């Protein structure tokens, strides 16, 4: 009975040991390959020594440059964040457009309508009709101006966001290039060709 209880436990222990032991054909991870470089020994260094040198140069380059090549690149703003920023810019642009288009249009229309009404014989009616038509036209022009300002503000915000993301990506790539140069210099000093 005890034998039956011990067998599953021994099986689990054996499986966990096998899972933790690397297979004999599996090569250890190369730091050079992890950053997109290839290192070749110039002086017939062993694979074990090359891996040791790569790890030491990787650590040295990380220390000297303060760059972690395994860190993810800067993330772009989410579409929700981008839309919120564009909406806010559009609202600010709308708030900045001049107000009173209907009133100004009404005054212009009344003046024109009064002049036409005076010729026709009824300046008051002409002024009223002109004021109404002028108010409608003035409001329409004001809405058109607001919509144009909102669209322009949203486009400018989108361009600014895209430019900021491109600059962040370029800065990240520059940091990776600096790291690779430091790594390559270290490996070259130890007798490796790195490409």
């Amino acid at each position: 009975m005890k034998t039956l209880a011990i067998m599953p436990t021994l099986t689990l222990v054996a499986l966990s040991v096998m899972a933790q032991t690397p297979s004999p054909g599996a090569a250890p991870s190369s730091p050079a390959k992890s950053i997109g470089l290839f290192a070749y020994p110039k002086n017939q260094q062993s694979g074990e020594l090359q891996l040791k040198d790569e790890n030491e140069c990787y650590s040295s380059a990380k220390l000297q440059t303060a760059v972690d090549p395994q860190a993810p690149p800067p993330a772009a703003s989410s579409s929700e964040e981008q839309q919120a920023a564009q909406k806010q810019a559009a609202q600010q642009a709308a708030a900045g457009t001049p107000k009173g288009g209907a009133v100004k249009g009404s005054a212009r229309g009344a003046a024109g309508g009064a002049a036409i009404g005076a010729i026709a014989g009824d300046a008051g009616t002409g002024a009223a009709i002109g004021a109404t038509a002028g108010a409608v036209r003035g409001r329409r022009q004001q809405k058109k101006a607001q919509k144009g300002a909102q669209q322009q503000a949203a486009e400018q915000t989108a361009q600014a966001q895209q430019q900021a993301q491109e600059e962040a990506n370029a800065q990240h790539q520059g940091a990776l290039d600096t790291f690779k140069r430091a790594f390559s210099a270290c490996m070259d000093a130890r007798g490796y060709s790195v490409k």
Side-chain angles (χ1 to χ4, degrees):
M1 189 69 150
K2 289 182 183 179
T3 315
L4 291 176
I6 294 175
M7 288 300 280
T9 305
L10 287 177
T11 304
L12 287 174
V13 169
L15 287 175
S16 69
V17 168
M18 288 172 43
Q20 291 176 359
T21 306
S23 61
S29 169
S30 165
K33 288 181 182 176
S34 74
I35 56 173
L37 296 175
F38 297 93
Y40 297 98
K42 291 180 184 176
N43 304 323
Q44 286 75 39
Q45 295 96 322
S46 69
E48 186 177 300
L49 179 60
Q50 180 176 344
L51 185 60
K52 177 183 173 274
D53 288 339
E54 284 185 26
N55 282 319
E56 288 175 1
C57 286
Y58 187 93
S59 296
S60 173
K62 193 172 177 181
L63 184 66
Q64 288 179 353
T65 63
V67 174
D68 182 5
Q70 301 305 321
S77 300
S78 70
S79 62
E80 292 86 19
E81 291 171 336
Q82 290 176 355
Q83 288 174 351
Q86 290 172 7
K87 185 177 179 181
Q88 182 181 10
Q91 288 172 346
Q92 289 174 350
T97 57
K99 304 283 187 235
V103 174
K104 291 175 186 172
S106 177
R108 283 192 209 112
I116 293 172
I119 294 170
D122 189 4
T125 304
I129 292 170
T132 304
V136 170
R137 182 172 183 260
R139 181 71 179 135
R140 198 175 289 146
Q141 287 177 336
Q142 181 181 353
K143 281 188 174 186
K144 186 177 179 182
Q146 282 180 337
K147 189 169 186 132
Q150 288 174 338
Q151 185 174 1
Q152 184 179 10
E155 288 172 0
Q156 288 174 343
T157 302
Q159 288 174 346
Q161 289 170 336
Q162 182 179 3
Q163 184 178 5
Q165 183 62 39
E166 288 171 358
E167 288 173 3
N169 287 341
Q171 191 174 24
H172 179 73
Q173 188 58 48
L176 288 178
D177 291 344
T178 300
F179 180 88
K180 288 178 181 180
R181 282 194 313 274
F183 177 83
S184 296
C186 177
M187 290 295 287
D188 186 55
R190 293 176 184 223
Y192 295 89
S193 173
V194 181
K195 301 286 181 196

